[in-house]
Amino acid sequence: MTHSNGHANPNGGPDLAALRQAYEEAGQGHVFTFWDKLTPAEQGPFAAELASIDVKRVNRIYRNAMAAEAPAADLTGLAPPLVGKDISRSPSPTPEEAGPLPASAVASSDSPDAARWRDVGLRAIADGTVAVLLLAGGQGSRLGSPNPKGMYDLGLPSSKSLFAYQAGRIRKLQALAAQHAGKDDKDVRLRWYVMTSGPTRAVTEAYFAEMDYFGLDSNDVVFFEQGVLPALSNDGKLLLAAPGKVFTAPDGNGGLYAALRRPVNANTDMTVLSDLHARGIKYIHAYCVDNCLVKVADPVFVGYCIERDAQCGAKVVRKTVPTESVGVIAKRGEAYGVIEYSELPTAKAEQRDDKGDLAFWAANIANHFYTTAFLDTVEAMERKMAFHIARKKIPHVDIASGQQLSPAEPNGMKLEMFIFDVFPFVPALSVLEVSRAEEFSGLKNAPGSKSDSPETSRRDLLAQQRRWLLAAGATFADGVEVEVTPEASYGGEGLEYVAGKHFVRSGAISGPDDVAALV
Ligand code: UTP
């Protein structure tokens, strides 16, 4: 594996002199202050850590983040050498200047065109040009489960976890696409890229192995890991967590883009991007682990974006009330961008259109389409993009005294990118409105919470499946809950065999053989 600074020496470790020089040139030479006091056993890992950090990129991220935060005139206050000529702002105007998403930018999954989009999407899947990308690097602190969110058991009759549901949908979709194209099931493969993070990787990989990849071919599942960035002091200096350790923090779910360019593990040079190219995959559906209703690789959405020749697309649902805490996609200058709930001025949140609907209605659900060609270009965008600054109390080693400090006030910053930060750079984002009841129910909060809890996820998933069964001609005795697992149906199709059946017992059906026990 190559180091990001490219400073290797013939003994295998990084070239120390070159590394020191790179940090000094970047104004970050202080990280070597305690070098001579470290034991050789400490120096090795520290040198490897320093070599893995692209210090010029860190400086650039700091400059851009500060430039986006400060009025232009304040930039002169930044200490050299961190002020460069290439300070550039995101092209996105402020939330106050934003306008509603124009109707012309949006289509609906209810449209009569949806059947055609579905055909296009299924064909692309059958041709092997579509992959799935899962964001599963979050720690789910609000949910409070010790395991990664994808392992969460919602208490469904089948006891399937969120990961199991998503895998099942992938398998089912492979079969549907094969059938659609007249191919053999085994000849249609959807590659599944699973983004984890330091805290979630090992346990996620072990769980997939334990579950035998939920019946998928393990070769089609690629784990990779989002990155971390050094935390910085308020004047842009790297902070040391220990004399031989940089303080780092996860780089946000937008860390996805940089992670696509890094080797997926320490034993290979393969990156997600190189793999996409090697396999001729042109289209990617990306989604969050915590939406139990997610239509993984939704052929309607994929087909819609392909037909529009979109580089990047986003699904939205209608915001319910002005105070709902969701970000909305809005017009920001020539492009579209997400305005976070906390940034949307109240007057805009409450603004209504001629029909009395919310003007800023398009709630972003982090459910995206990309072309591989677009993902290739994100690195160039990142140079112009501003990371978000989160000011924090960061425990660190004081460079002058060598003392470990635990500040009482924020003394520095963590830098994060959000997955939607690329939108303002997309010439024509393709937005598809979908039904919330059919496609979005987030798992965010602990059991017993009023919204976005395990109970609401379970309720929304079973309610959808009940609608499918009713539409197929089934009826239910009072209080009976029947789960339709992804083995039985991807999106409500293929349930003709329940016509005329009256369910009197709760349980799960994965195919026609399971019906008799429940009627
Ligand atoms: P959230 O922002 O809701 O975070 O993630 P979370 O970790 O799930 O929950 P809290 O905030 O700690 O309670 C939305 C999606 O983005 C992914 C999550 O896994 C989830 O799919 N994510 C979040 C990452 O992949 N990496 C991150 O650093 C953060």
Side-chain angles (χ1 to χ4, degrees):
M1 177 171 155
T2 50
H3 294 282
S4 43
N5 281 327
H7 305 130
N9 78 17
N11 305 327
D15 174 342
L16 196 60
L19 201 54
R20 220 181 247 266
Q21 192 185 345
Y23 274 79
E24 262 153 27
E25 281 172 8
Q28 303 281 13
H30 64 282
V31 295
F32 286 94
T33 305
F34 308 108
W35 179 264
D36 295 335
K37 297 201 178 106
L38 301 177
T39 64
E42 292 168 330
Q43 286 176 340
F46 188 38
E49 180 183 38
L50 292 174
S52 73
I53 295 170
D54 181 345
V55 67
K56 282 195 196 148
R57 174 171 178 260
V58 173
N59 281 351
R60 194 166 59 231
I61 287 170
Y62 169 74
R63 288 197 303 265
N64 287 351
M66 293 297 284
E69 198 187 57
D74 290 353
L75 295 177
T76 49
L78 300 186
L82 294 176
V83 175
K85 287 212 170 77
D86 62 336
I87 289 179
S88 46
R89 286 164 180 278
S90 150
S92 221
T94 64
E96 286 74 21
E97 294 161 330
L101 190 63
S104 59
V106 194
S108 164
S109 59
D110 278 348
S111 150
D113 296 329
R116 192 181 69 243
W117 297 331
R118 185 170 184 274
D119 282 347
V120 173
L122 284 175
R123 166 61 61 184
I125 292 167
D127 288 346
T129 56
V130 180
V132 182
L133 201 160
L134 164 61
L135 299 175
Q139 286 180 270
S141 41
R142 284 168 289 172
L143 180 62
S145 163
N147 286 323
K149 257 189 202 174
M151 291 168 62
Y152 203 84
D153 176 356
L154 295 173
L156 295 164
S158 70
S159 303
K160 280 182 188 290
S161 64
L162 291 167
F163 282 140
Y165 249 85
Q166 293 158 23
R169 287 175 184 147
I170 290 175
R171 284 182 66 192
K172 188 69 181 171
L173 192 53
Q174 289 176 165
L176 289 174
Q179 195 183 18
H180 186 261
K183 286 189 170 180
D184 200 278
D185 273 16
K186 68 174 171 15
D187 292 333
V188 174
R189 300 287 192 78
L190 271 164
R191 217 157 161 72
W192 194 10
Y193 299 99
V194 180
M195 186 176 85
T196 58
S197 61
T200 65
R201 182 170 195 154
V203 55
T204 303
E205 288 199 40
Y207 176 67
F208 272 61
E210 182 195 325
M211 301 304 287
D212 204 12
Y213 295 84
F214 314 97
L216 292 166
D217 185 333
S218 61
N219 295 315
D220 291 335
V221 183
V222 178
F223 295 96
F224 67 113
E225 196 170 319
Q226 81 178 84
V228 289
L229 271 176
L232 301 176
S233 66
N234 288 328
D235 58 354
K237 301 289 185 190
L238 270 68
L239 294 168
L240 295 180
K245 175 121 200 60
V246 175
F247 192 108
T248 57
D251 55 1
N253 63 12
L256 160 73
Y257 300 109
L260 298 176
R261 306 191 293 263
R262 280 194 300 268
V264 295
N265 62 53
N267 307 317
T268 179
D269 280 337
M270 183 188 107
T271 67
V272 173
L273 271 182
S274 73
D275 193 56
L276 290 169
H277 283 286
R279 289 169 191 276
I281 296 169
K282 293 199 264 184
Y283 312 111
I284 296 97
H285 176 236
Y287 69 97
C288 292
V289 72
D290 51 11
N291 175 14
C292 62
L293 296 178
V294 64
K295 290 191 169 173
V296 184
D298 178 13
V300 173
F301 183 41
V302 169
Y304 163 71
C305 290
I306 292 175
E307 210 178 84
R308 287 175 74 121
D309 213 6
Q311 299 172 27
C312 181
K315 280 189 181 181
V316 294
V317 298
R318 213 156 258 283
K319 188 172 166 179
T320 48
V321 288
T323 50
E324 190 186 349
S325 46
V326 287
V328 290
I329 299 186
K331 187 147 172 53
R332 305 189 77 171
E334 290 308 302
Y336 307 126
V338 172
I339 308 180
E340 288 186 82
Y341 165 66
S342 53
E343 289 175 354
L344 187 66
T346 308
K348 287 200 189 288
E350 291 174 349
Q351 192 179 322
R352 304 265 166 188
D353 63 18
D354 299 345
K355 288 185 278 168
D357 295 329
L358 291 177
F360 290 82
W361 63 271
N364 180 45
I365 57 171
N367 193 314
H368 300 155
F369 167 94
Y370 307 101
T371 61
T372 302
F374 174 77
L375 293 174
D376 281 338
T377 63
V378 173
E379 186 168 14
M381 291 173 202
E382 276 173 5
R383 289 170 183 270
K384 300 190 202 136
M385 222 180 261
F387 276 58
H388 305 264
I389 295 175
R391 296 197 186 269
K392 304 271 180 187
K393 295 176 222 167
I394 302 168
H396 65 284
V397 179
D398 182 51
I399 295 298
S401 65
Q403 298 291 308
Q404 188 81 40
L405 302 181
S406 291
E409 295 301 322
N411 61 313
M413 61 186 83
K414 293 182 182 172
L415 294 152
E416 284 186 346
M417 193 155 105
F418 301 144
I419 189 166
F420 52 74
D421 285 341
V422 298
F423 288 176
F425 298 88
V426 179
L429 184 73
S430 284
V431 184
L432 186 68
E433 181 188 354
V434 299
S435 145
R436 187 186 285 248
E438 296 300 327
E439 302 213 21
F440 184 59
S441 177
L443 176 61
K444 300 287 182 195
N445 302 321
S449 308
K450 275 207 201 87
S451 61
D452 300 336
S453 67
E455 293 86 353
T456 56
S457 294
R458 181 182 188 281
R459 176 199 70 199
D460 293 345
L461 187 57
L462 288 175
Q464 176 189 56
Q465 296 171 351
R466 187 183 182 91
R467 290 193 295 275
W468 293 347
L469 292 168
L470 288 170
T475 51
F476 297 84
D478 279 355
V480 167
E481 290 180 323
V482 178
E483 179 185 358
V484 179
T485 72
E487 285 68 40
S489 187
Y490 174 84
E493 80 296 333
L495 296 170
E496 295 74 16
Y497 53 85
V498 302
K501 304 286 181 194
H502 184 62
F503 287 103
V504 294
R505 269 179 293 278
S506 297
I509 54 174
S510 296
D513 295 347
D514 298 330
V515 175
L518 305 181
V519 293

